[in-house]
Amino acid sequence: MMKKVVSLCAASSAFFFLCGCDRAPSSGEKRAASFAEREKPSAVRKEAETWRERLDAAVAGSVREKENGSEHVKALNDVAALYAEGLQNGWVHPLDVRAWCDSVAETGSGYSGETVIGAMFLYGTGIKRDAVAAREWFEYGLARPGTQRGNALYMLGMMYFKGDGADQDLNKALGLWHKAADEEHPAAMGLLGRAYMEGKMGFEKDAASGLALLEKAANGGKSPSSV
């Protein structure tokens, strides 16, 4: 029976930690786990505990800065970054992160934690890049209005345009960019404006429409007459 257990253990390196060995001992007896192997669970727990302490401190900081404009946004970004780190390392459940995003949205601040987390995954900011996770967080964030809705729509459009984290789909990308432009997103307006001016991406050349969009983009999404 001992030989059978040892054989199963050697069959896959994925089981070395559970079996207490990383190779089949020549003596036929199971070798004791190394010090590093025995300490690994404790080290992982400690890392998660340290992360939780950092998160609690960041959340407390965001509460203190609640009435302080740009400092409040910076503090919320710090919380979002820690949640992204926690998600990637399995230290926090996605539903708990969504609950935090919901609570921030309910304050009426217009802050979209989902979009910030999605951008971190998309660009690999402080964490390992994960385009699929980015798409999922952008899409979740679009379930509600907010000042960063245009950002989510624009970045999602880019993902579908490039086939990055989503199946490549030009029509879907254009639809998302049009929605972003409706949200007065300058980059989306500039992109569509150039497409009209140059007759690209399936658009018939329309200099007037293109110029109007480019002028709005240059004015931060507003028509020149309303600035």
Side-chain angles (χ1 to χ4, degrees):
M1 179 62 72
M2 175 62 74
K3 289 183 178 179
K4 184 176 181 181
V5 172
V6 171
S7 176
L8 288 172
C9 184
S12 171
S13 60
F15 290 108
F16 83 88
F17 181 74
L18 296 175
C19 297
C21 59
D22 55 3
R23 61 180 177 82
S26 57
S27 65
E29 294 183 357
K30 186 168 63 177
R31 174 179 60 79
S34 69
F35 177 78
E37 289 167 345
R38 293 197 303 273
E39 287 298 306
K40 186 176 181 181
S42 176
V44 171
R45 284 198 300 272
K46 182 62 177 177
E47 195 173 4
E49 289 168 4
T50 300
W51 169 82
R52 176 59 65 178
E53 291 169 0
R54 291 161 57 211
L55 176 65
D56 289 344
V59 170
S62 71
V63 172
R64 286 195 304 271
E65 300 293 348
K66 189 173 181 179
E67 306 300 327
N68 197 11
S70 62
E71 289 301 314
H72 185 219
V73 173
K74 180 179 181 298
L76 289 172
N77 285 342
D78 291 341
V79 177
L82 282 164
Y83 271 127
E85 181 183 343
L87 284 165
Q88 197 156 79
N89 287 286
W91 297 330
V92 63
H93 195 283
L95 290 179
D96 293 331
V97 183
R98 290 184 178 185
W100 173 73
C101 293
D102 290 343
S103 68
V104 174
E106 288 168 3
T107 66
S109 66
Y111 184 87
S112 174
E114 306 93 335
T115 299
V116 174
I117 291 170
M120 289 174 180
F121 277 116
L122 180 61
Y123 299 116
T125 306
I127 55 175
K128 183 179 178 182
R129 188 177 186 276
D130 187 336
V132 173
R135 175 175 55 78
E136 291 171 349
W137 282 95
F138 288 145
E139 289 174 345
Y140 178 67
L142 289 174
R144 68 166 63 89
T147 55
Q148 297 190 46
R149 182 179 173 83
N151 286 333
L153 289 163
Y154 176 76
M155 287 186 281
L156 264 178
M158 279 295 179
M159 294 176 76
Y160 278 102
F161 179 70
K162 296 177 180 179
D164 181 20
D167 292 336
Q168 193 169 29
D169 188 329
L170 176 59
N171 288 332
K172 192 156 189 174
L174 289 171
L176 288 162
W177 287 332
H178 276 293
K179 289 180 180 179
D182 290 341
E183 297 282 341
E184 299 183 340
H185 191 274
M189 290 179 175
L191 185 153
L192 293 173
R194 288 190 297 274
Y196 275 117
M197 292 286 286
E198 298 169 6
K200 293 184 176 179
M201 292 194 293
F203 290 99
E204 291 186 9
K205 196 167 184 178
D206 185 340
S209 295
L211 182 60
L213 280 167
L214 290 172
E215 287 178 343
K216 288 183 71 174
N219 287 286
K222 305 293 184 181
S223 297
S225 59
S226 64
V227 175

